[in-house]
Amino acid sequence: MTTILLNGDPYPIDGQLQLLSLLERLNMRQGRVAVEINREIVPKANYAHTVIKPGDNVEVINFVGGG
Amino acid sequence: MEERNIKDTPLELGGKSFKSRLIVGTGKYKDFAETRAAVEESGAEIVTVAVRRVNITDRGKENLLDYLDPKRYQILPNTAGCFTAEEAIRTCRLAREVGVGDLVKLEVIGDQKTLFPDVSATIEAACVLVKEGFKVMPYITDDPVTCLRLQEIGCVAVMPLAAPIGSGLGIRNPFNLAIIIEQAKVPVIVDAGVGTASDAAVAMELGCDGVLMNTAIAGAKDPIAMARAMKLAVEAGRLAYRAGRIERKLYATASSPLTGLIG
């Protein structure tokens, strides 16, 4: 078991993890979130073939109430 | 009054047309249901949202967009909380990737206490974002020169503040706003500082193209009723502006004929 940094906190993963699997695991609907890996935005079309590696810094954002 | 006199031109922003000239924020409501009810009552077609990290620990949490359908509302992501051009640019890029279009409300805050904009950082960020194809609506100080610069850069609107964010102090400098409006070739939208309906009406009577507010509605005792009041105020102010108000005079002018008085 290794970890990535997910939204600033350590998050355990088993070896390598497909981004789409991570989003499914987190219950994130497409069209509701955006993802950065190591400060690079991942286009939606690439979710299925983007692999998260141990040590990666992953940010998943969504919209919340704001002015 | 005949229909032709009342019918207004739409508010044009980044190639899209909107009937409502009220833009509302979605922060500070007690829950998403109240947010949706207030937005509906306001008649707004554009709603601002903030960009934040997904809550990883609470996976069942509802999403704001489940309550505000992006097909029905133009979602306007903001860069609230950004203190540098770099943070604001990064936030806009992420927001666009969610897939609600390229209209963004750019705000780069210069001071935590007043939440006044960092003017140079806002201009810097606007330059980059416009080049990347964003349709930028910058929150900015009520400074005519800065508004001109932002217009020249290619922003699709300028959004001078009326008063500090959330202060409810109303239109603090109508004269600067009047100059900004006179010079502008893009829509001028008063953003921040409105406290109650009359403030929104004043902004529209000055000739602003729209008003953006959050706290004035969300913070009211009855947000739904205030949303309605703001809708009416923006419409009334706009119509009064188009109708053309009378000039201010120091002395009275009688409304009734001065002739034919009884002996």
Side-chain angles (χ1 to χ4, degrees):
Chain A
M1 189 77 86
T2 52
T3 60
I4 57 168
L5 207 58
L6 178 59
N7 285 357
D9 290 319
Y11 184 85
I13 60 164
D14 266 331
Q16 296 194 332
L17 179 65
Q18 197 191 41
L19 175 55
L20 196 60
S21 309
L22 174 68
L23 295 177
E24 279 165 6
R25 196 188 284 184
L26 295 171
N27 228 354
M28 294 302 148
R29 273 179 62 194
Q30 294 234 17
R32 295 285 188 265
V33 297
V35 181
E36 262 184 2
I37 298 179
N38 301 327
R39 307 271 303 205
E40 288 286 322
I41 287 180
V42 184
K44 275 191 190 60
N46 296 354
Y47 285 180
H49 51 267
T50 295
V51 174
I52 299 168
K53 300 173 202 68
D56 275 352
N57 185 356
V58 181
E59 293 278 351
V60 186
I61 63 89
N62 64 356
F63 293 145
V64 301
Chain B
M1 205 188 285
E2 289 173 41
E3 179 65 21
R4 66 185 162 82
N5 289 332
I6 290 179
K7 198 163 186 276
D8 198 358
T9 51
L11 172 62
E12 306 269 358
L13 285 171
K16 288 188 179 175
S17 299
F18 302 94
K19 275 189 222 144
S20 171
R21 290 173 178 272
L22 174 58
I23 302 175
V24 295
T26 55
K28 299 183 180 173
Y29 287 99
K30 73 170 195 273
D31 52 35
F32 286 151
E34 189 185 62
T35 312
R36 175 166 61 192
V39 170
E40 269 179 20
E41 198 65 37
S42 76
E45 296 164 288
I46 307 172
V47 296
T48 61
V49 299
V51 177
R52 292 291 181 270
R53 282 171 164 170
V54 160
N55 187 338
I56 303 294
T57 49
D58 185 5
R59 286 175 212 174
K61 211 174 172 206
E62 290 173 304
N63 187 287
L64 177 61
L65 296 190
D66 297 334
Y67 284 78
L68 296 169
D69 184 358
K71 290 191 196 86
R72 177 173 170 191
Y73 295 104
Q74 172 67 51
I75 305 294
L76 179 61
N78 70 27
T79 62
C82 293
F83 281 78
T84 65
E86 191 192 1
E87 285 167 8
I89 293 163
R90 186 182 174 200
T91 302
C92 288
R93 288 172 180 159
L94 275 166
R96 178 156 70 179
E97 194 52 39
V98 176
V100 293
D102 41 24
L103 208 59
V104 288
K105 172 180 161 177
L106 172 65
E107 52 183 304
V108 187
I109 302 299
D111 172 53
Q112 187 71 60
K113 195 170 178 184
T114 59
L115 298 180
F116 280 143
D118 182 324
V119 170
S120 59
T122 303
I123 291 174
E124 185 189 336
C127 282
V128 173
L129 291 167
V130 168
K131 281 193 192 112
E132 292 185 12
F134 284 96
K135 286 157 183 149
V136 182
M137 300 170 63
Y139 154 75
I140 199 66
T141 321
D142 57 354
D143 168 33
V145 176
T146 304
C147 286
L148 265 188
R149 291 285 171 276
L150 289 164
Q151 174 178 294
E152 285 161 10
I153 287 166
C155 292
V156 299
V158 289
M159 304 208 292
L161 56 87
I165 294 172
S167 70
L169 287 174
I171 314 295
R172 292 296 79 208
N173 197 338
F175 305 104
N176 273 30
L177 285 179
I179 296 170
I180 291 166
I181 291 161
E182 194 180 286
Q183 293 177 339
K185 292 187 179 70
V186 294
V188 177
I189 293 164
V190 156
D191 178 7
V194 164
T196 188
S198 53
D199 298 332
V202 167
M204 296 308 292
E205 286 169 10
L206 281 168
C208 288
D209 297 280
V211 182
L212 194 164
M213 65 180 76
N214 190 156
T215 308
I217 297 175
K221 270 186 195 155
D222 183 341
I224 315 300
M226 188 57 92
R228 177 82 177 166
M230 290 302 184
K231 171 190 161 75
L232 296 172
V234 167
E235 286 173 4
R238 173 69 181 171
L239 195 54
Y241 166 72
R242 292 174 58 233
R245 60 153 297 151
I246 61 163
E247 281 185 29
R248 290 177 174 86
K249 297 187 202 106
L250 193 54
Y251 292 100
T253 316
S255 299
S256 306
L258 299 174
T259 54
L261 290 162
I262 51 171

